[in-house]
């Protein structure tokens, strides 16, 4: 088993994504403590209208009370960005800068901010603040806040050189991770890590990860390093070696065998982490759960997940979803990734090529996460041999 699986990480600027087919959005070239801004304007990639991404210059603004200004170094591209790019996220107003896997350095502090320091490297995930007064917040569940601050939706996200963020919604980044490595861990990483660690599992339990993509390739690594008997479920024998390299003890090729039956032959899964994009492929896996087993959905298939009620009733099996995490959850994810030498497999792309990179992700061609890197990201990140 390989304890580290960075895979096809490209050097910054090393892979030109502009050759991606133009099937995605159009792309037009058109009382606080603070450091002096490097410039009065910054480059951003905004959604100006549904399915239209364009490069723009914006004026640098000062953070308000309780906010920080971040000089962005890297921002991952996530499938959830589609809801901003297409303009379909409920309540979204355009123009809006997408991006919720943001890593950068604090450049200015708004009034009332004391925890963070100028120059400190921080990250911002999807849920970047809460209202603190809704029922979910009052019951200690801020991740399900009814009026959350949402990066790339209610405020401009990380497809930019600069971002304003709520100080309560950011996480500290460990020195052992580069900005490009850390970015996907603020979404795909914390989502899979939290889902597994909060599932009530024990070391040695059989845990299956369905799908070996942007979420699943991290899920396999986390499951293995948490001490679970890890089974990867994919389609095609070509993914078997990758699954083993990521740490899977076994691989099930769902293209040629019944995944649920294969799991039952192994004794049944205590949990199945469903990361894939096909609801039709997820539903039947309930039959592969052990008694009291759990199907945990972290992917968002476009088609319905259909279930057989008998599989739930007989055996007390359950199905539920798990959504990302809080800033301290992100810090836990990053710390565990450093401890266990877990890394996402990434491709890095200059910020200005965001439209092409987004199109490549939507076509399923990313292996496995695409990270946008700014000029400051190039300058701050050491080259790897």
């Amino acid at each position: 088993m390989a304890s580290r699986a960075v895979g096809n990480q490209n050097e910054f600027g090393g892979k030109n994504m502009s050759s991606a087919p133009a099937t995605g959005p159009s792309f037009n070239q058109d009382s606080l403590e603070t450091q002096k801004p490097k410039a009065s304007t910054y480059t951003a990639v905004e959604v100006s209208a549904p399915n239209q991404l364009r490069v723009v210059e914006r004026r640098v603004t000062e953070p308000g009370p309780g906010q920080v200004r971040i000089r962005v170094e890297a921002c991952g591209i996530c499938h959830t960005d589609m809801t901003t790019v297409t303009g379909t996220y409920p309540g979204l107003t355009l123009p809006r800068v997408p991006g919720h896997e943001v890593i950068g350095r604090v450049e200015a502090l708004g009034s009332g901010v004391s925890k963070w320091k100028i120059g400190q490297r921080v990250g911002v995930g999807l849920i970047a603040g809460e209202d603190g007064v809704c029922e979910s917040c009052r019951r200690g569940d801020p991740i399900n806040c009814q009026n959350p601050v949402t990066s790339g939706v209610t405020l401009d996200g990380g497809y930019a050189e600069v971002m304003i963020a709520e100080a309560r919604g950011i996480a500290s980044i460990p020195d052992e991770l580069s900005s490009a490595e850390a970015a996907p861990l603020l979404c795909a990483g914390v989502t899979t890590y939290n889902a597994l660690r909060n599932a009530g599992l024990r070391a040695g339990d059989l845990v299956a990860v369905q799908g070996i993509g942007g979420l699943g390739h991290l899920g396999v690594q986390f499951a293995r390093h948490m001490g679970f008997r890890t089974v990867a479920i994919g389609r095609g024998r070509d993914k078997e070696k990758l699954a083993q390299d990521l740490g899977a003890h076994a691989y099930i090729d769902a293209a040629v065998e019944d995944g649920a039956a294969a799991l039952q032959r192994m004794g049944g899964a205590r949990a199945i982490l469903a990361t894939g994009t096909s609801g039709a492929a997820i539903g039947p896996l309930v039959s592969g759960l052990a008694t009291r087993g759990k199907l945990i959905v972290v992917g968002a298939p476009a088609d319905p997940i259909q279930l057989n009620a008998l599989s739930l009733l007989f055996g007390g099996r359950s199905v539920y979803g798990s959504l990302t995490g809080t800033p301290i959850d992100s810090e836990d994810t990053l710390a565990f990734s450093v401890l266990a030498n877990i890394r996402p497999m990434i491709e890095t792309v200059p910020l200005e090529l965001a439209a092409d990179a987004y199109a490549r992700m939507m076509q399923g061609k990313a292996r496995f996460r695409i990270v946008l890197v700014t000029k400051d990201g190039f300058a701050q990140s050491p080259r790897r041999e």
Side-chain angles (χ1 to χ4, degrees):
M1 180 196 73
S3 61
R4 177 183 172 110
V6 177
N8 283 336
Q9 177 171 342
N10 294 297
E11 299 299 342
F12 292 149
K15 185 165 185 175
N16 190 327
M17 309 294 287
S18 61
S19 60
T23 58
S26 61
F27 182 56
N28 303 317
Q29 193 74 31
D30 289 291
S31 124
L32 54 81
E33 178 185 354
T34 183
Q35 286 182 333
K36 184 177 180 181
K38 297 181 179 180
S40 61
T41 64
Y42 66 93
T43 300
V45 179
E46 70 175 21
V47 181
S48 56
N51 295 309
Q52 292 188 14
L53 282 167
R54 66 174 184 175
V55 174
V56 296
E57 288 294 313
R58 292 187 168 193
R59 184 165 297 279
V60 174
T61 60
E62 298 298 337
Q67 295 181 329
V68 300
R69 187 174 71 227
I70 298 171
R71 182 63 59 168
V72 177
E73 295 180 1
C75 180
I77 295 179
C78 176
H79 197 271
T80 304
D81 294 342
M82 174 187 67
T83 59
T84 298
V85 175
T86 59
T88 56
Y89 200 105
L92 176 71
T93 58
L94 299 179
R96 179 63 75 208
V97 176
H100 58 265
E101 302 177 358
V102 192
I103 307 291
R105 296 180 187 273
V106 175
E107 187 176 67
L109 303 175
S111 61
V113 177
S114 58
K115 174 178 173 56
W116 307 103
K117 298 179 180 179
I118 298 295
Q120 186 173 0
R121 199 161 58 120
V122 298
V124 189
L126 178 65
I127 307 301
E130 68 292 321
D131 66 12
V133 297
C134 71
E135 182 172 351
S136 294
C137 287
R138 292 173 65 203
R139 293 189 181 279
D141 188 15
I143 202 62
N144 288 305
C145 175
Q146 296 170 21
N147 303 288
V149 178
T150 308
S151 300
V153 177
T154 64
L155 53 71
D156 288 322
Y159 287 25
E161 293 177 336
V162 169
M163 177 181 178
I164 300 291
E166 299 294 322
R168 68 186 186 277
I170 61 180
S172 179
I173 308 301
D175 293 340
E176 293 86 348
L177 294 170
S178 73
S179 294
E181 290 172 333
L185 295 175
L186 296 182
C187 182
V190 67
T191 296
T192 51
Y193 176 76
N194 254 5
L196 290 170
R197 74 164 175 169
N198 294 330
L201 301 167
R202 296 179 177 179
D205 282 348
L206 176 59
V207 172
V209 178
Q210 181 264 342
I212 310 177
L215 288 164
H217 88 285
L218 287 167
V220 170
Q221 293 182 73
F222 285 128
R224 174 60 185 257
H225 286 285
M226 288 179 182
F228 306 136
R229 182 185 172 198
T230 304
V231 178
I233 304 174
R235 295 185 65 84
R237 302 311 303 185
D238 57 315
K239 294 182 179 179
E240 182 172 12
K241 184 181 186 303
L242 171 62
Q244 293 172 344
D245 290 344
L246 292 169
H249 296 95
Y251 174 76
I252 297 173
D253 181 2
V256 297
E257 63 179 320
D258 184 318
L263 288 173
Q264 285 297 340
R265 288 195 297 270
M266 299 177 188
R270 299 297 303 172
I272 299 173
L273 187 68
T275 74
T277 57
S278 169
I282 293 172
L285 291 176
V286 171
S287 298
L289 291 169
T291 299
R292 305 289 178 189
K294 306 169 183 179
L295 176 64
I296 310 169
V297 181
V298 294
D303 59 317
I305 299 175
Q306 298 185 359
L307 303 171
N308 184 331
L310 294 179
S311 297
L312 300 175
L313 294 171
F314 290 91
R317 301 173 180 90
S318 60
V319 180
Y320 64 91
S322 183
L323 174 68
T324 187
T326 63
I328 195 65
D329 290 329
S330 291
E331 291 187 7
D332 290 346
T333 302
L334 297 168
F336 187 81
S337 298
V338 170
L339 178 68
N341 205 23
I342 292 170
R343 300 293 187 273
M345 297 173 66
I346 63 173
E347 301 175 38
T348 57
V349 181
L351 171 65
E352 291 76 10
L353 297 181
D356 288 341
Y358 171 83
R360 178 179 172 85
M361 181 274 298
M362 290 299 297
Q363 294 157 10
K365 295 181 178 179
R367 292 295 181 268
F368 283 100
R369 307 293 290 195
I370 297 179
V371 180
L372 303 175
V373 181
T374 67
K375 294 190 293 291
D376 289 277
F378 293 144
Q380 295 288 345
S381 299
R383 295 187 63 85
R384 296 176 180 273
E385 297 301 329

